[in-house]
């Protein structure tokens, strides 16, 4: 086979273990998965009501332009319909961007650590990857600017950042955007936008009018609780969108996903409730960390990256045996830390009880 040279030795994305797999491995009856930053409260009740009464002809292809969903999102955001592109999750949009703009001879700039799919897709396309270490969990925008040269094609800014949860504030972000060359695409990945509570982070949608080289990525997988349906979208000026559209697959959002995303989009009260519950849950983690002198990053997401002062993999395994699936910092480029989805208050209480026991076993707590 004549494989691309750059994929030699690459490893596939390794998702966290499934609930059923952990049940079988450890003989457990109940598992709580706090590894993938899913909404622990699920989706809006309106989604279940919709599914119970609607039917679809599954023999027909979906609308390749997502016309009705496009109109609903455009109205919600106050933008034109041709300023949107839809993906099979924002993962696909990342793939579309790299396929359209990255190739051998160009480079791409990103923070480190940040969402792994930026580097993975860039490597597949053969582009040079320039990673700039974070400062206190946040993007070092000044050093990222210095990393940009005439061969830079794409810059990635994940805000709030995954895995640290730290948000990029508006003032330094706008100062950064003003200095980035106009022929360099800046991707603002805002998968956790609906969870942000920081007053220093503003709605970035108006950026597309002032910065024609910016695309904003958002998703229905997190706060909207629709991860299983895989709907993400990009927001940018119409010229940029028009350039990307030929790279997008023709029927990349299913009939069901398009319909359900429209229903979820209408329930602002549910999103507000989830944000409020998430803030309460986050407080549980902060109290635990403060009490036990464990560092954590100030998060504006539905997860927290927290110190464990032990081997992250050992803590990960110890928690899994006790029925809690989380992410080891070793897999995220943050050894000595774990990333935990903020669950319901009951889930958080159960998790922190078991984490206390694991850390006592490791001699971290007494």
């Amino acid at each position: 086979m004549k494989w691309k040279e750059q994929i030699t030795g690459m490893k596939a994305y390794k998702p966290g273990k499934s609930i059923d797999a952990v049940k079988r491995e450890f003989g457990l009856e109940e598992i709580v998965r706090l590894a993938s930053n899913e909404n622990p409260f699920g989706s809006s009740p309106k989604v279940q009501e919709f599914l119970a009464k609607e039917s679809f002809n599954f023999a027909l292809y979906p609308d390749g332009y997502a016309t009705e969903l496009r109109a609903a999102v455009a109205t919600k955001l106050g933008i034109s319909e041709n300023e949107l592109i839809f993906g099979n999750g924002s993962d696909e949009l990342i793939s579309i961007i790299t396929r359209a703009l990255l190739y051998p001879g160009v480079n791409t700039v990103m923070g480190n650590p940040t969402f792994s799919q930026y580097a993975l897709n860039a490597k597949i396309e053969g582009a040079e990857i320039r990673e700039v270490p974070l400062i206190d969990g946040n993007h070092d925008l000044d050093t990222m600017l210095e990393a940009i040269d005439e061969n830079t094609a794409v810059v990635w800014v994940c805000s709030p950042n995954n895995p640290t949860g730290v948000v990029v504030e508006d003032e330094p972000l706008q100062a950064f955007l003003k200095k980035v060359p106009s022929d360099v695409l800046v991707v603002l990945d805002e998968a956790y936008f609906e969870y942000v509570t920081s007053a220093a982070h503003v709605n970035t949608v108006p950026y597309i009018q002032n910065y024609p080289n910016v695309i904003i990525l958002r998703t229905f997988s997190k706060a909207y609780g629709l991860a299983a349906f895989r709907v993400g979208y990009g927001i940018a000026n119409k010229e940029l969108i028009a350039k990307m559209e030929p790279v997008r697959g023709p029927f990349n959002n299913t009939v069901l996903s398009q319909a359900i995303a429209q229903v979820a989009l209408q329930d602002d009260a549910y999103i507000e409730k989830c944000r409020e519950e998430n803030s309460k849950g986050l407080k549980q983690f902060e109290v635990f960390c403060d009490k036990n002198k464990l560092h954590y990053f100030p998060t504006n997401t539905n997860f927290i990256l927290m110190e464990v002062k032990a081997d992250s993999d050992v803590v990960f395994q110890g928690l899994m045996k006790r029925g809690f699936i989380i992410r080891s910092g070793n897999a995220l480029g943050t050894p000595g830390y774990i990333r935990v989805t903020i669950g319901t208050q009951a889930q958080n209480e159960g998790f922190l009880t078991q984490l206390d026991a694991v850390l006592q076993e490791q001699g971290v707590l007494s």
Side-chain angles (χ1 to χ4, degrees):
M1 298 290 184
K2 300 177 179 65
W3 301 107
K4 275 187 172 182
E5 182 181 346
Q6 50 265 34
I7 71 169
T8 301
M10 285 184 66
K11 295 181 179 179
Y13 175 76
K14 188 176 181 181
K17 287 191 175 184
S18 70
I19 289 175
D20 288 339
V22 175
K23 281 183 177 179
R24 289 193 298 269
E25 183 175 352
F26 298 105
L28 298 170
E29 293 293 326
E30 185 177 351
I31 298 293
V32 178
R33 186 165 79 171
L34 302 175
S36 300
N37 309 332
E38 297 138 330
N39 187 337
F41 304 102
S43 58
S44 164
K46 293 181 179 180
V47 169
Q48 296 301 326
E49 294 170 10
F50 176 82
L51 286 170
K53 67 181 182 181
E54 296 293 332
S55 61
F56 298 87
N57 184 347
F58 296 125
L60 302 180
Y61 283 106
D63 174 5
Y65 193 60
T67 305
E68 292 184 4
L69 176 59
R70 180 180 299 273
V73 174
T75 299
K76 183 85 168 180
L77 299 179
I79 61 175
S80 300
E81 294 178 17
N82 57 8
E83 293 175 324
L84 288 165
I85 184 170
F86 287 86
N88 190 247
S90 51
D91 288 317
E92 187 191 24
L93 294 171
I94 293 167
S95 177
I96 289 171
I97 290 166
T98 56
R99 189 178 179 193
L101 286 161
L102 298 183
Y103 49 87
V106 303
N107 67 70
T108 181
V109 177
M110 64 195 69
N112 182 34
T114 193
F115 188 42
S116 62
Q117 293 302 294
Y118 311 149
L120 177 70
N121 281 276
K123 186 174 182 181
I124 291 171
E125 301 304 330
E128 177 193 352
I129 300 166
R130 297 183 176 180
E131 296 178 306
V132 176
L134 304 179
I135 297 178
D136 296 327
N138 207 343
H139 289 68
D140 181 356
L141 297 178
D142 290 337
T143 304
M144 290 176 72
L145 270 174
E146 294 173 2
I148 296 171
D149 63 19
E150 66 276 7
N151 295 318
T152 303
V154 182
V155 176
W156 307 87
V157 178
C158 188
S159 179
N161 185 52
N162 183 5
T164 60
V166 178
V167 74
V168 179
E169 296 184 354
D170 179 61
E171 187 175 338
L173 180 56
Q174 291 220 48
F176 172 77
L177 293 174
K178 289 174 182 176
K179 297 176 183 177
V180 174
S182 60
D183 63 346
V184 174
L185 178 68
V186 179
V187 182
L188 302 181
D189 188 346
E190 298 184 345
Y192 300 91
F193 170 78
E194 290 80 10
Y195 285 110
V196 174
T197 58
S198 171
H201 180 274
V202 303
N203 182 7
T204 54
V205 171
Y207 283 12
I208 67 170
Q209 306 304 328
N210 300 324
Y211 308 104
N213 59 329
V214 166
I215 184 168
I216 302 160
L217 305 186
R218 293 185 183 171
T219 182
F220 285 90
S221 295
K222 303 304 181 183
Y224 284 99
L226 298 179
F229 290 97
R230 313 306 300 125
V231 183
Y233 57 98
I235 311 160
N237 72 77
K238 63 181 182 180
E239 289 80 12
L240 201 158
I241 295 293
K243 281 286 190 180
M244 291 175 56
E245 275 289 355
V247 186
R248 181 182 63 84
F251 303 109
N252 59 333
N253 291 118
T254 68
V255 171
L256 267 177
S257 64
Q258 291 181 38
I260 287 169
Q262 290 177 67
V263 175
L265 189 68
Q266 299 166 8
D267 199 345
D268 291 335
Y270 182 75
I271 295 299
E272 180 59 31
K273 178 184 176 182
C274 290
R275 183 164 43 240
E276 291 175 358
E277 291 299 320
N278 187 71
S279 294
K280 293 177 186 176
L282 174 59
K283 189 66 178 177
Q284 292 175 272
F285 284 87
E286 292 175 340
V287 168
F288 179 88
C289 290
D290 290 340
K291 174 186 174 182
N292 294 294
K293 297 181 173 56
L294 299 173
H295 175 259
Y296 59 92
F297 290 91
T299 182
N300 270 267
T301 65
N302 67 333
F303 64 82
I304 186 169
L305 185 67
M306 56 182 290
E307 183 183 29
V308 289
K309 295 183 179 177
D311 187 315
S312 301
D313 286 347
V314 172
V315 174
F316 164 78
Q317 288 290 337
L319 287 165
M320 193 157 53
K321 291 177 183 177
R322 290 168 166 80
F324 288 88
I325 308 173
I326 53 99
R327 287 299 300 269
S328 166
N330 289 350
L332 302 170
T334 57
Y337 285 75
I338 56 173
R339 194 193 68 190
V340 189
T341 304
I342 299 166
T344 66
Q345 291 196 50
Q347 289 173 339
N348 299 335
E349 183 178 349
F351 167 78
L352 292 170
T353 297
Q354 296 305 323
L355 176 61
D356 186 281
V358 172
L359 294 184
Q360 286 195 43
E361 286 180 356
Q362 296 302 308
V364 175
L365 305 181
S366 57

